[in-house]
Amino acid sequence: MRQVGGKWGAPEAVTAPGRDVHRTALALDGDGRAWVFWAENEGGRWDLRARGWKDGKWADALKLSDDSTPDAFP
């Protein structure tokens, strides 16, 4: 959800429906851009992913890890 003009808007999906997601985290970078991080299970492997909010929209999701061991805690 975002707050605009002192009012909260509707929830916004960060991932596609039906994904197996675990442990979300939020952060702001040095430019004030919001980031959402999460672990996602795809084919039995847990990898870390992230999306940033920039210019009024969500950027494409980034895959941050690609290891055979589980990455489950962003």
Side-chain angles (χ1 to χ4, degrees):
M1 293 174 29
R2 291 182 292 128
Q3 190 179 68
V4 178
K7 295 186 180 186
W8 286 101
E12 297 178 32
V14 177
T15 63
R19 305 303 299 175
D20 189 3
V21 175
H22 175 68
R23 293 273 183 172
T24 59
L26 302 170
L28 293 177
D29 67 16
D31 294 325
R33 179 175 33 198
W35 285 88
V36 177
F37 300 88
W38 68 93
E40 185 172 319
N41 179 10
E42 186 172 23
R45 288 183 49 177
W46 288 93
D47 291 308
L48 299 179
R49 300 177 191 263
R51 283 186 90 177
W53 178 265
K54 185 175 181 180
D55 300 327
K57 63 181 178 178
W58 287 108
D60 291 339
L62 302 172
K63 188 173 183 179
L64 303 178
S65 65
D66 189 20
D67 192 72
S68 60
T69 60
D71 300 310
F73 300 97

